Amino acid sequence: MNYITIDYLSDLTAQQMLAARTLTFTPIGSKDSSGLDASASFNNYGGAQIQNDLFSFTGVANVEYDVFSNSTREPSTITLYDHAGNVIAIDNEKSTDIADGHDFLSNFMAPYSGTYYVAAGWTHIMPDPYLSLTVYADLDPVRAPVNTLRAAPGDDTWWSTYSNDIGDAGDGFDTIRYSGTRGDFNIVSAADGLTLTSRFGTEGIDTLKNVEKIDFFGDNDVDMTYIGLTQALYVGYFGRPADVGGLKSFQSQLAALGAPESVREFSARYATDAAVKNLIDSFGTSAESNALYAGDNKTFVKAIFSNLLNRAPSLSGLEFWSAAIDSGELTRANASLSIMAGALANTSIQGQNDARLVEAKIYVASNFTFALESDSFDAAYEGAGAATIARNLLGTVSSGTDPNAFQPSVYQAILKLPQLPPAALAQPGEQPWAAQPEALPIMLTGMASSLDGAA
């Protein structure tokens, strides 16, 4: 079974692993209603002061483990490590903890057979410490390592499991529901679908296709409709991923318009739909636009090509697009959308490379915004400095970038965002953002046009 590591937490050192106490499992005499088969415990009731709360145990692949920690005061985070000392699971400190002085990490399915380490997180008061750690094993858990979600015709509603859920929801408006909150999960999008992973390592790695809504416990659900189109607009024009508030606002406006989700069809609506025209033109009239594109129309076209394709336009392309803007046939905002649609429709070798680059950027942009929300960094993504960080991130994307493998770079960029930001953006271009010559944008799905975004 594949498993993820929680890389924002510190790994164990070799010295710490050597100093870990060994826990040994013994059978539980008779199963109770919990169905547990074995346990391994350490107890210290009023004994000597304990300086080290790290233990090791031998786990078995596909066996489910629950960890219970007790101390005079409630333990801090219980942390589970793999054989190399990488963090692979933590308790999520929710209100489901038993009571003061008790904490637990549950439903961890071992991905391999071998050594694991667990830190109890004790916070005790001397001179009367009450400390214990117990690991329970369920040798025959009900859940399988992989659970295939079946789609029915029309709309589907799925419930996630603790297994690795996989499924293609197909047609209709399809929803998957999770018992955890939005902040409990990381979301990564790529050409092969969405990947959802628990930030605490106690649930499977879910791979999903054609899901329109992710329903989390509480109110912070994720609407997948129009995410790609919105990111295409932001990255194509501003050279950056959408902020959380701006993404949701634009999704709502696009839904209210009944807009198509492809760039080509959306761009085509510009000439016949005043509401679509106003929405697209809002990018070109913003303060952010004025700061980014203060030059003439040829300078603007060069900047858009740099944003989208990491290259300059051909001389003929430069003349075509700048003339269309000069004549009033296209506004700047609609020109950027048309350039994107044209580039994605180009079937030349250069055009195919451009399409792959734009697609990779739209996925990375989406994953950046997803990560902002998962880590509650949405308020930090404001201002010229934050915009520069995001643009620089997109500047490192190539036509061969794998969004899943690129995700650590997304997290590194987010950690560079300002620590004490003002309020988050609510609308595109609400604040003046510094012009960036390396500015780079993005695409979504189904782009095609008769216009030529040629080299």
Side-chain angles (χ1 to χ4, degrees), residues 2 13 23 47 67 79 83 104 168 171 178 185 196 205 219 234 238 271 290 298 318 328 359 365 383 390 392 429:
N2 294 327
T13 65
L23 297 175
V67 181
T79 308
H83 62 92
F104 70 93
D168 185 340
D171 297 333
Y178 285 84
F185 294 88
L196 280 82
I205 302 172
D219 298 327
Y234 267 84
F238 293 135
N290 293 334
K298 285 189 176 180
L318 177 62
E359 287 168 357
N392 289 342

Side-chain angles (χ1 to χ4, degrees), residues 25-39 62-66 68 107 135-143:
F25 284 96
T26 57
I28 294 176
S30 60
K31 281 192 176 185
D32 56 19
S33 60
S34 69
L36 299 173
D37 298 281
S39 66
N62 300 326
V63 168
E64 195 169 279
Y65 294 91
D66 297 331
F68 288 79
N107 301 311
V135 181
Y136 291 99
D138 183 359
L139 301 179
D140 50 357
V142 174
R143 62 170 162 144

Side-chain angles (χ1 to χ4, degrees), residues 219-286:
D219 298 327
N220 208 5
D221 300 334
V222 175
D223 180 358
M224 296 301 300
T225 61
Y226 296 112
I227 283 182
L229 178 58
T230 301
Q231 293 289 2
L233 292 167
Y234 267 84
V235 188
Y237 197 83
F238 293 135
R240 64 172 176 90
D243 53 277
V244 174
L247 173 64
K248 293 182 177 181
S249 174
F250 240 70
Q251 286 177 290
S252 177
Q253 293 178 74
L254 290 167
L257 294 175
E261 293 202 45
S262 80
V263 167
R264 181 196 56 161
E265 293 174 353
F266 185 65
S267 180
R269 286 269 293 269
Y270 182 89
T272 60
D273 190 321
V276 168
K277 181 180 184 299
N278 290 336
L279 192 60
I280 293 175
D281 286 346
S282 68
F283 281 88
T285 58
S286 67

Side-chain angles (χ1 to χ4, degrees), residues 72-411:
T72 304
R73 293 185 296 176
E74 183 171 355
S76 60
T77 303
I78 299 172
T79 308
L80 197 64
Y81 304 84
D82 67 9
H83 62 92
N86 302 300
V87 180
I88 55 176
I90 56 176
D91 79 90
N92 60 12
E93 294 295 326
K94 286 187 175 179
S95 59
T96 51
D97 289 348
I98 302 171
D100 289 343
H102 307 273
D103 209 350
F104 70 93
L105 183 158
S106 62
N107 301 311
F108 174 77
M109 180 174 278
Y112 64 87
S113 295
T115 300
Y116 293 85
Y117 297 90
V118 57
W122 289 325
T123 53
H124 56 275
I125 302 173
M126 291 299 291
D128 184 27
Y130 165 74
L131 304 171
S132 70
L133 179 75
T134 303
V135 181
Y136 291 99
D138 183 359
L139 301 179
D140 50 357
V142 174
R143 62 170 162 144
V146 176
N147 176 54
T148 301
L149 300 168
R150 307 294 181 184
D155 301 342
D156 294 302
T157 298
W158 289 338
W159 288 89
S160 68
T161 70
Y162 285 109
S163 303
N164 293 336
D165 295 320
I166 60 172
D168 185 340
D171 297 333
F173 189 91
D174 305 300
T175 301
I176 185 166
R177 292 179 173 171
Y178 285 84
S179 59
T181 65
R182 172 66 184 88
D184 292 351
F185 294 88
N186 291 323
I187 304 174
V188 177
S189 62
D192 58 352
L194 291 172
T195 301
L196 280 82
T197 55
S198 167
R199 302 187 71 217
F200 307 107
T202 54
E203 296 196 30
I205 302 172
D206 297 346
T207 305
L208 310 168
K209 294 182 179 180
N210 296 311
V211 169
E212 282 71 39
K213 182 180 179 182
I214 307 172
D215 188 349
F216 294 104
F217 179 80
D219 298 327
N220 208 5
D221 300 334
V222 175
D223 180 358
M224 296 301 300
T225 61
Y226 296 112
I227 283 182
L229 178 58
T230 301
Q231 293 289 2
L233 292 167
Y234 267 84
V235 188
Y237 197 83
F238 293 135
R240 64 172 176 90
D243 53 277
V244 174
L247 173 64
K248 293 182 177 181
S249 174
F250 240 70
Q251 286 177 290
S252 177
Q253 293 178 74
L254 290 167
L257 294 175
E261 293 202 45
S262 80
V263 167
R264 181 196 56 161
E265 293 174 353
F266 185 65
S267 180
R269 286 269 293 269
Y270 182 89
T272 60
D273 190 321
V276 168
K277 181 180 184 299
N278 290 336
L279 192 60
I280 293 175
D281 286 346
S282 68
F283 281 88
T285 58
S286 67
E288 182 173 356
S289 174
N290 293 334
L292 282 170
Y293 307 120
D296 60 18
N297 287 331
K298 285 189 176 180
T299 302
F300 169 79
V301 171
K302 290 177 182 178
I304 293 299
F305 267 76
S306 176
N307 281 350
L308 278 171
L309 308 173
N310 295 359
R311 63 179 178 84
S314 65
L315 181 60
S316 61
L318 177 62
E319 293 297 331
F320 173 83
W321 292 110
S322 60
I325 301 171
D326 288 338
S327 69
E329 180 183 352
L330 294 174
T331 64
R332 284 188 168 189
N334 194 31
S336 69
L337 196 60
S338 299
I339 289 169
M340 179 185 292
L344 290 162
N346 190 332
T347 58
S348 68
I349 294 176
Q350 178 65 64
Q352 293 176 42
N353 187 69
D354 288 344
R356 288 191 296 270
L357 173 62
V358 172
E359 287 168 357
K361 286 184 176 183
I362 199 67
Y363 287 128
V364 171
S366 298
N367 296 338
F368 181 90
T369 309
F370 286 145
L372 286 176
E373 192 171 27
S374 290
D375 292 318
S376 299
F377 269 90
D378 47 320
Y381 185 39
E382 179 180 356
T388 298
I389 290 168
R391 290 189 182 106
N392 289 342
L393 172 71
L394 294 180
T396 65
V397 176
S398 72
S399 60
T401 294
D402 176 353
N404 289 295
F406 192 78
Q407 194 64 11
S409 297
V410 171
Y411 294 139

